[in-house]
């Protein structure tokens, strides 16, 4: 996408729907084709972003269904000011109440994203800055803000740890810390490195089910044992009640 002046581009932005802002820039939705228009903060500060077209699009050829790479760059007066990417109707994982999540769907989502992490790993890409950049909706996960990724050979397990750590924090932190800490095996899994979040989720569900005396599909059926206290390692964007 190319615009001849800031005035024209600013008018164009006014025709779009603002959908959010992060540390790198502001995002707008072009509803006609469900495309995200991301504009770097530097543009609004009248500064150069410092990214080239080649850098922004370097991973766009890696086909997968989970990582939302930049698809095209946005140029204003010949300078890169942002990029476009695909839109997915989903919420940031950290903004979702874990008590409302269907654990069957969550497990399917992790299994799906594992396959795409393998594709990305086999393509020689190292993930970075994944936490708080995972979107989730009904059994699908999507990863956004991939600019910090590097061309570097890395193991699948090292890359997947970025996903697994957030999934486990999403399930436990600030809600089920006491339950996990009082079960030595769950605690070892939760505190350990290189632990699959699917394996943790299965064991977490099993032990919750044994404690509650029923199969656990949603964590809201266990809200009676939630203890909202202590320091939290995972910043959530949602205020929840016991």
């Amino acid at each position: 996408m190319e615009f001849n002046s800031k005035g024209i581009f600013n008018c164009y932005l006014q025709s779009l729907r603002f959908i959010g802002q992060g540390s790198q820039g502001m995002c707008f939705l072009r509803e006609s084709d469900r495309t995200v228009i991301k504009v770097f903060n530097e543009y609004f500060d009248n500064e150069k972003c410092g990214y080239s077209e080649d850098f922004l699009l370097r991973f766009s050829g890696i086909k997968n269904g989970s990582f939302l790479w930049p698809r095209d760059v946005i140029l204003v007066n010949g300078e890169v000011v942002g990029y476009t990417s695909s839109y997915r109707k989903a919420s940031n994982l950290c903004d979702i109440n874990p008590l409302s999540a269907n654990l069957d769907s969550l497990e399917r989502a992790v299994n799906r994203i594992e396959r795409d992490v393998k594709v990305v790993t086999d393509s020689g890409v190292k993930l970075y800055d994944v936490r708080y950049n995972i979107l989730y909706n009904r059994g699908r996960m999507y990863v956004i803000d991939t600019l910090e990724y590097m061309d570097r050979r890395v193991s699948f397990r090292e890359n997947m740890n970025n996903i697994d750590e957030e999934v486990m924090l999403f399930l436990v932190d600030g809600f089920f810390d006491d339950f996990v800490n009082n079960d030595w095996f769950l605690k070892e899994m939760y505190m350990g490195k290189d632990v699959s979040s699917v394996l943790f989720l299965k064991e977490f569900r099993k032990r919750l089910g044994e404690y509650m005396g029923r199969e656990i599909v949603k964590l809201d059926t266990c809200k009676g044992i939630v203890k909202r206290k202590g320091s939290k390692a995972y910043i959530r964007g949602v205020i929840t009640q016991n």
Side-chain angles (χ1 to χ4, degrees):
M1 298 178 64
E2 189 165 1
F3 299 84
N4 292 328
S5 70
K6 291 190 67 172
I8 294 174
F9 183 53
N10 290 341
C11 288
Y12 175 73
L13 291 180
Q14 291 177 10
S15 71
L16 308 176
R17 178 160 67 90
F18 174 75
I19 56 174
Q21 182 171 9
S23 60
Q24 293 178 335
M26 300 175 67
C27 293
F28 304 82
L29 177 63
R30 187 170 66 202
E31 303 203 51
S32 61
D33 60 357
R34 311 302 279 171
T35 293
V36 174
I37 309 295
K38 180 163 184 175
V39 185
F40 296 126
N41 289 325
E42 287 84 351
Y43 171 78
F44 301 105
D45 295 333
N46 294 312
E47 299 174 354
K48 292 185 178 182
C49 71
Y51 295 119
S52 69
E53 179 174 354
D54 288 343
F55 177 83
L56 292 176
L57 302 182
R58 68 198 188 283
F59 302 134
S60 61
I62 304 174
K63 304 301 181 184
N64 73 98
S66 301
F67 291 83
L68 304 182
W69 312 118
R71 295 190 317 191
D72 191 14
V73 296
I74 303 169
L75 300 173
V76 175
N77 289 328
E79 294 184 0
V80 174
V81 301
Y83 62 84
T84 69
S85 64
S86 300
Y87 174 76
R88 296 293 183 271
K89 187 177 181 180
S91 299
N92 198 301
L93 191 64
C94 68
D95 291 333
I96 297 172
N97 185 338
L99 300 182
S100 69
N102 183 297
L103 299 183
D104 290 331
S105 296
L106 183 63
E107 183 176 331
R108 285 197 301 271
V110 179
N111 282 327
R112 283 170 169 163
I113 204 170
E114 277 187 341
R115 295 192 287 269
D116 285 336
V117 170
K118 187 176 189 308
V119 170
V120 171
T121 301
D122 290 345
S123 298
V125 178
K126 175 179 171 53
L127 308 189
Y128 183 75
D129 193 28
V130 177
R131 188 178 297 184
Y132 306 118
N133 287 317
I134 299 175
L135 307 181
Y136 176 74
N137 185 33
R138 296 183 180 181
R140 289 304 306 261
M141 284 183 174
Y142 308 98
V143 184
I144 59 173
D145 290 349
T146 60
L147 297 189
E148 302 301 322
Y149 293 9
M150 294 184 287
D151 290 293
R152 176 183 153 190
R153 288 292 170 184
V154 66
S155 70
F156 163 78
R157 178 41 46 202
E158 185 176 346
N159 266 345
M160 192 61 204
N161 283 344
N162 290 276
I163 312 292
D164 288 327
E165 289 174 1
E166 178 158 6
V167 171
M168 290 191 285
L169 285 168
F170 168 74
L171 290 168
V172 175
D173 191 70
F175 286 78
F176 295 98
D177 303 83
D178 281 6
F179 182 82
V180 169
N181 287 332
N182 288 325
D183 184 306
W184 70 269
F185 189 64
L186 280 182
K187 184 178 180 181
E188 285 290 318
M189 294 185 74
Y190 184 62
M191 300 299 294
K193 299 293 184 182
D194 301 332
V195 176
S196 162
S197 57
V198 169
L199 295 181
F200 176 81
L201 174 56
K202 289 178 182 293
E203 193 65 29
F204 183 51
R205 291 181 69 173
K206 174 187 171 185
R207 302 208 175 208
L208 278 174
E210 291 170 351
Y211 185 86
M212 301 299 295
R214 58 177 176 267
E215 182 182 3
I216 306 301
V217 177
K218 285 190 173 184
L219 292 177
D220 62 357
T221 59
C222 307
K223 61 185 178 182
I225 64 172
V226 169
K227 294 184 179 179
R228 304 293 307 280
K229 63 179 183 180
S231 61
K232 300 176 180 62
Y234 188 51
I235 301 171
R236 299 182 188 268
V238 52
I239 303 299
T240 56
Q241 302 292 328
N242 285 2

